[in-house]
């Protein structure tokens, strides 16, 4: 392994001067020596020791990305898309990213952040019940996503979930549908899902129709309750699935029972993941800009790293309906 001493020996300068150039402190080094040291370090393939640099500068240059969810949260295309974009943003600023999965205990969060001396963290998932304790235990910039916590002093990047439900209901009603269902994961535990449901049900009610409680189905019980959707006395024709993954699973289960989409059921998803383009039929969905969401989260985190006196922020991004082929117009 090439060391600073090796470079200094070949360049005929001190180790201190090499260190200054490697760490881009050029003020006390001549242009000639800067060029010579950089050429030698490149030719010899010198790689800085990140751990040593962190210790000397008292800066880890680590940003933690903390994901809450199932045993493998990256099975979620949404999580994978957000994670990939955030990592690009972090690395583009010369920092390193450290990904940590949390299933239940908030104490894992503090242990992880402190053991790695993270300088900041971005959270993907529902941490609402633990946000206050996480903030109290960790005096570093923290950015949450999709939080509905009642605590005002947090920085959060979210979307207008309620509007998403409104747009889904309006589109189905405008296409002649009168009997509705709603399918979602984490139905009773996620405020995000509850907001999508509220926007959907409020709009249905305002139009003079009804979303029956028996037609609000948790994704985890979908196979058991699929018969409800298929054999209702008032035949359901329209289903809003609260995520694209949920919608794709629903389409597949219905197809196994010989119910085609949109001939028997019209379905709308949520997120506008790339998979929407490859389903048969292509999925109508509520679109959120995942790339921009990840960029906002990263930008705001680094703003707070540079200025710790900045106030907290709550950014709510807009959503829109993307019409494709999974909704049929009824006569």
């Amino acid at each position: 392994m090439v060391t600073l001493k090796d470079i200094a020996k070949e360049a005929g300068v001190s180790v201190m001067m090499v260190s200054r150039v490697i760490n881009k402190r050029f003020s006390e080094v001549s242009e000639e020596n800067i060029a010579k040291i950089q050429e030698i370090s490149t030719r010899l393939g010198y790689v800085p020791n990140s751990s040593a640099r962190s210790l000397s500068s008292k800066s880890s240059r680590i940003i933690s990305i903390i994901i809450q969810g199932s045993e493998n949260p990256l099975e979620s295309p949404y999580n994978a898309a957000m994670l990939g974009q955030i990592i690009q943003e972090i690395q583009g600023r010369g920092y390193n990213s450290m990904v940590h999965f949390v299933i239940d205990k908030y104490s894992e969060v503090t242990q992880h952040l402190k053991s790695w001396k993270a300088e900041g963290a971005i959270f993907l998932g529902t941490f609402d019940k633990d946000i206050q304790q996480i903030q109290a235990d960790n005096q570093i910039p923290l950015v949450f996503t999709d939080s509905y916590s009642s605590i005002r002093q947090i920085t959060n990047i979210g979307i207008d979930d309620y509007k998403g439900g409104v747009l889904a209901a309006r589109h189905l009603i405008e296409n002649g549908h009168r009997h509705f269902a709603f399918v979602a994961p984490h139905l009773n535990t996620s405020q995000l899902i509850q907001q999508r449901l509220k926007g959907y049900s409020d709009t249905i009610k305002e139009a003079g129709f009804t979303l029956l409680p028996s037609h609000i189905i948790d994704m985890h019980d979908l196979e058991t309750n699929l018969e409800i959707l298929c054999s209702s006395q008032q035949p359901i024709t329209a289903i809003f699935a609260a995520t694209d993954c949920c919608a794709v699973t629903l389409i597949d289960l219905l197809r196994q029972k010989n119910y085609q989409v949109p001939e028997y059921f019209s379905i709308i998803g949520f997120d506008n993941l790339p998979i929407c383009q490859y389903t048969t039929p292509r999925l109508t969905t509520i679109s959120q800009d995942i790339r921009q969401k990840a960029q906002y989260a990263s930008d705001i985190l680094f703003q707070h790293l540079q200025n710790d006196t900045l106030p907290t922020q709550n950014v709510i991004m807009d959503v829109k309906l993307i019409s494709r082929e999974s909704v049929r117009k009824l006569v």
Side-chain angles (χ1 to χ4, degrees):
M1 180 182 291
V2 179
T3 66
L4 296 182
K5 191 174 181 180
D6 297 328
I7 298 171
K9 183 177 180 181
E10 182 162 340
V13 299
S14 68
V15 173
M16 179 67 73
M17 183 177 292
V18 174
S19 175
R20 287 185 180 129
V21 173
I22 294 297
N23 290 290
K24 301 187 184 303
R25 297 198 300 270
F26 300 137
S27 59
E28 300 177 31
V29 186
S30 69
E31 290 186 8
E32 180 185 354
N33 280 331
I34 291 171
K36 181 167 44 174
I37 291 167
Q38 288 177 334
E39 186 277 325
I40 293 171
S41 64
T42 300
R43 175 162 46 81
L44 296 181
Y46 174 73
V47 178
N49 185 322
S50 297
S51 298
R53 292 176 69 181
S54 295
L55 287 171
S56 62
S57 65
K58 297 182 180 179
S59 169
S60 69
R61 298 191 73 80
I62 289 174
I63 302 299
S64 185
I65 307 166
I66 299 179
I67 307 176
Q68 188 179 57
S70 62
E71 291 182 2
N72 184 2
L74 293 187
E75 287 181 349
S76 159
Y78 168 82
N79 281 343
M82 281 287 287
L83 179 63
Q85 189 64 34
I86 289 170
I87 288 175
Q88 286 186 49
E89 297 289 337
I90 290 170
Q91 291 182 179
R93 290 170 167 88
Y95 279 69
N96 300 305
S97 51
M98 182 72 66
V99 181
H100 186 69
F101 297 157
V102 173
I103 295 177
D104 228 356
K105 299 177 181 178
Y106 91 88
S107 57
E108 291 179 37
V109 174
T110 296
Q111 182 180 1
H112 165 76
L113 293 177
K114 291 189 174 178
S115 64
W116 286 100
K117 297 183 179 178
E119 295 190 35
I122 297 173
F123 292 76
L124 306 183
T126 306
F127 290 84
D128 288 355
K129 66 185 178 69
D130 297 320
I131 280 179
Q132 190 168 16
Q133 195 64 53
I134 291 170
Q135 287 202 136
D137 291 349
N138 300 281
Q139 304 303 310
I140 58 175
L142 306 174
V143 175
F144 296 87
T145 59
D146 298 315
S147 172
Y148 279 92
S149 171
S150 59
I151 300 168
R152 297 185 63 184
Q153 296 304 313
I154 67 167
T155 293
N156 175 64
I157 314 297
I159 61 171
D160 195 339
D161 294 293
Y162 182 89
K163 180 180 177 179
V166 171
L167 293 176
R170 282 181 184 168
H171 188 66
L172 293 168
I173 292 167
E174 288 166 0
N175 278 278
H177 295 274
R178 301 294 180 259
H179 303 293
F180 309 89
F182 179 81
V183 178
H186 314 297
L187 189 56
N188 298 316
T189 58
S190 170
Q191 283 295 313
L192 176 152
I193 297 297
Q194 286 295 317
Q195 285 298 308
R196 294 177 188 179
L197 171 58
K198 190 172 189 321
Y200 184 60
S201 60
D202 284 354
T203 306
I204 290 170
K205 185 177 180 181
E206 287 167 7
F209 308 113
T210 304
L211 175 64
L212 297 175
S214 59
H215 294 168
I216 301 172
I217 296 172
D218 193 296
M219 184 67 188
H220 298 296
D221 300 321
L222 181 56
E223 289 194 55
T224 304
N225 292 320
L226 198 60
E227 200 59 39
I228 293 174
L229 299 179
C230 300
S231 61
S232 173
Q233 288 185 347
Q234 295 180 324
I236 294 166
T237 63
I239 305 172
F240 176 33
T243 70
D244 288 338
C245 292
C246 182
V248 171
T249 300
L250 178 59
I251 289 171
D252 186 55
L253 288 173
L254 289 169
R255 186 178 292 118
Q256 290 175 33
K257 291 183 173 290
N258 296 317
Y259 291 100
Q260 301 303 314
V261 175
E263 288 80 5
Y264 285 94
F265 295 98
S266 289
I267 295 178
I268 296 179
F270 199 116
D271 284 327
N272 196 30
L273 297 171
I275 194 174
C276 298
Q277 297 276 11
Y278 305 110
T279 57
T280 303
R282 295 188 310 151
L283 185 64
T284 294
T285 188
I286 306 301
S287 174
Q288 62 165 312
D289 192 332
I290 293 175
R291 179 182 294 272
Q292 188 179 58
K293 190 178 189 179
Q295 187 172 341
Y296 278 158
S298 305
D299 287 347
I300 290 173
L301 179 74
F302 280 96
Q303 288 169 16
H304 283 257
L305 274 172
Q306 293 165 8
N307 183 356
D308 59 10
T309 65
L310 289 177
T312 57
Q313 300 178 58
N314 186 34
V315 177
I316 303 299
M317 296 172 56
D318 199 11
V319 296
K320 62 182 180 180
L321 183 129
I322 304 295
S323 178
R324 295 193 179 100
E325 299 148 8
S326 62
V327 173
R328 181 166 72 101
K329 188 172 183 66
L330 300 183
V331 178

